[in-house]
Amino acid sequence: MKTRLLLSVGLLATLFAGPACKTLETGDKTARDRYQEDLSQVRKEFEAAKKADLSEPEEEINEMEVTVGVSGDVNKRLEVVYDTLKERRGKNPAVQGFTVQVYAGPSRSEANEAKEKVYHTLENVNPELQYIQPNFKVKVGQFLDRLEAQKMYAQLREEFPQALIIPEKIYLK
């Protein structure tokens, strides 16, 4: 009984679904191709289009020659900012370099301890303590080349296993 019911449902589905899945042949026209309607009677006409005489071609406009005055022009303000940055960069030119970071963490006391430890480990170095929220960082040296930084890194690595060579801007004096 079940198989008979399933067969009849399958047969009905095939009969109804078959014509719906028919594909169009190349010679057949779709309903969209056959549809035609003239909408010129309901189309709005604008006065500017009526006034314009479209019979004569307009002369060609060169985009480079056209200058448009804009109120609140930003260029003047940007030029002032650009000139200020240019002056500052001239006073302190910066280059991309490297430094050795021996400590990075939230504790100021640990950062100061690391700084003192660097003083005792290496002579003639000046470690720098920075606070970049939320961490304190102790950095040693400014090098233009990673190979130069590698020498100091090798000396500090015994005392500071977490030390890293990091890229940093170096301001030339």
Side-chain angles (χ1 to χ4, degrees):
M1 183 74 176
K2 270 188 173 178
T3 54
R4 215 176 203 187
L5 181 63
L6 287 174
L7 284 175
S8 61
V9 168
L11 181 63
L12 286 174
T14 310
L15 288 174
F16 289 116
C21 295
K22 182 182 173 191
T23 59
L24 293 175
E25 295 178 18
T26 56
D28 291 346
K29 285 189 172 184
T30 63
R32 189 175 7 153
D33 293 336
R34 291 186 299 242
Y35 177 77
Q36 291 180 356
E37 186 175 351
D38 184 19
L39 299 174
S40 61
Q41 297 170 356
V42 293
R43 213 174 273 146
K44 291 183 179 181
E45 292 185 24
F46 297 97
E47 291 185 30
K50 287 180 185 177
K51 290 179 182 177
D53 185 16
L54 300 177
S55 60
E56 296 179 20
E58 294 182 19
E59 63 183 62
E60 205 171 298
I61 299 173
N62 187 355
E63 291 180 19
M64 298 302 287
E65 294 175 4
V66 176
T67 56
V68 179
V70 179
S71 62
D73 191 14
V74 182
N75 290 337
K76 291 180 182 175
R77 288 184 277 166
L78 285 176
E79 286 175 9
V80 171
V81 172
Y82 180 71
D83 290 340
T84 306
L85 289 174
K86 204 175 190 183
E87 288 175 20
R88 287 184 187 171
R89 196 175 294 147
K91 292 177 186 173
N92 294 324
V95 294
Q96 190 63 34
F98 297 91
T99 187
V100 179
Q101 178 178 293
V102 295
Y103 176 81
S107 173
R108 183 183 203 119
S109 61
E110 288 181 17
N112 283 327
E113 288 175 14
K115 187 175 176 181
E116 290 297 320
K117 201 172 184 182
V118 169
Y119 278 128
H120 295 299
T121 305
L122 298 175
E123 296 178 11
N124 301 327
V125 293
N126 188 16
E128 180 182 329
L129 177 65
Q130 288 182 338
Y131 179 69
I132 301 172
Q133 194 172 359
N135 292 323
F136 290 93
K137 296 181 179 189
V138 178
K139 298 176 182 178
V140 182
Q142 294 181 340
F143 307 99
L144 297 176
D145 193 320
R146 188 177 185 96
L147 190 59
E148 294 174 21
Q150 187 70 32
K151 293 175 188 175
M152 185 171 284
Y153 171 73
Q155 294 172 346
L156 291 169
R157 192 168 173 194
E158 292 176 15
E159 292 291 325
F160 302 96
Q162 74 278 10
L164 299 169
I165 298 175
I166 59 171
E168 186 173 273
K169 281 190 177 180
I170 297 173
Y171 293 95
L172 303 175
K173 296 174 183 169

